[in-house]
Amino acid sequence: NPEIEIKSEIEAKDVFRSIHHVVKSEFGIVGAGILEEIKVRLYDPEARIAMIKIPRDKCNFVRAAITFLTEIKEVPVVVSTIAVSASSRTAKIAALHELRCSFNMKKKSNFRRFGVESITFKEESARLVELEQRMDTVRSVVD
């Protein structure tokens, strides 16, 4: 019987649960007061970007806690902060920038891997449509 590994996809709720667990375990009673104010507004599984909403005065606690986050759904992760924004508008701008960067990095790695451009116009168009859909998801995040 060969074992089949089912790789589960990480979703926003998994990110929330992991942050919830690490804040609770690292900060105890102080962390318990923060937990109700943490909201994961968006998680993009392809770019592996999460948009987390927290009150400004709790930001340093959560940033400190996520440095201890090493796995989500048993998938090893390394978490870093891309941007800290005072408004959802600037957070969305930072997330859109990261999506574009992720898209361009993936495009460059495909070119390096296959040599001369081997992506057809149809494949490139499909990737651009997918990127636009992901960007619309970021734009539609509500406060």
Side-chain angles (χ1 to χ4, degrees), residues 46-62:
E46 188 172 327
R48 296 174 296 193
I49 297 171
M51 187 183 299
I52 304 167
K53 181 177 182 178
I54 52 175
R56 185 176 301 175
D57 61 328
K58 308 294 194 275
C59 181
N60 289 334
F61 283 110
V62 175

Side-chain angles (χ1 to χ4, degrees), residues 100-119 124 127:
R100 285 187 206 101
C101 288
S102 171
F103 176 80
N104 290 333
M105 291 293 284
K106 192 172 186 179
K107 184 177 178 178
K108 287 178 185 177
S109 69
N110 282 340
F111 289 156
R112 274 188 234 120
R113 191 177 315 137
F114 300 119
V116 181
E117 184 170 340
S118 62
I119 298 174
E124 183 69 12
R127 288 185 65 235

Side-chain angles (χ1 to χ4, degrees), residues 23-83:
V23 167
K24 191 175 175 182
S25 66
E26 296 302 322
F27 290 107
I29 294 172
V30 175
I34 299 171
L35 294 176
E36 291 184 17
E37 300 179 90
I38 298 173
K39 303 201 179 358
V40 177
R41 294 291 187 205
L42 169 82
Y43 178 72
D44 185 291
E46 188 172 327
R48 296 174 296 193
I49 297 171
M51 187 183 299
I52 304 167
K53 181 177 182 178
I54 52 175
R56 185 176 301 175
D57 61 328
K58 308 294 194 275
C59 181
N60 289 334
F61 283 110
V62 175
R63 287 183 70 189
I66 63 174
T67 61
F68 295 105
L69 189 59
T70 57
E71 64 179 25
I72 299 174
K73 276 181 89 172
E74 300 178 3
V75 176
V77 296
V78 176
V79 181
S80 62
T81 303
I82 295 170

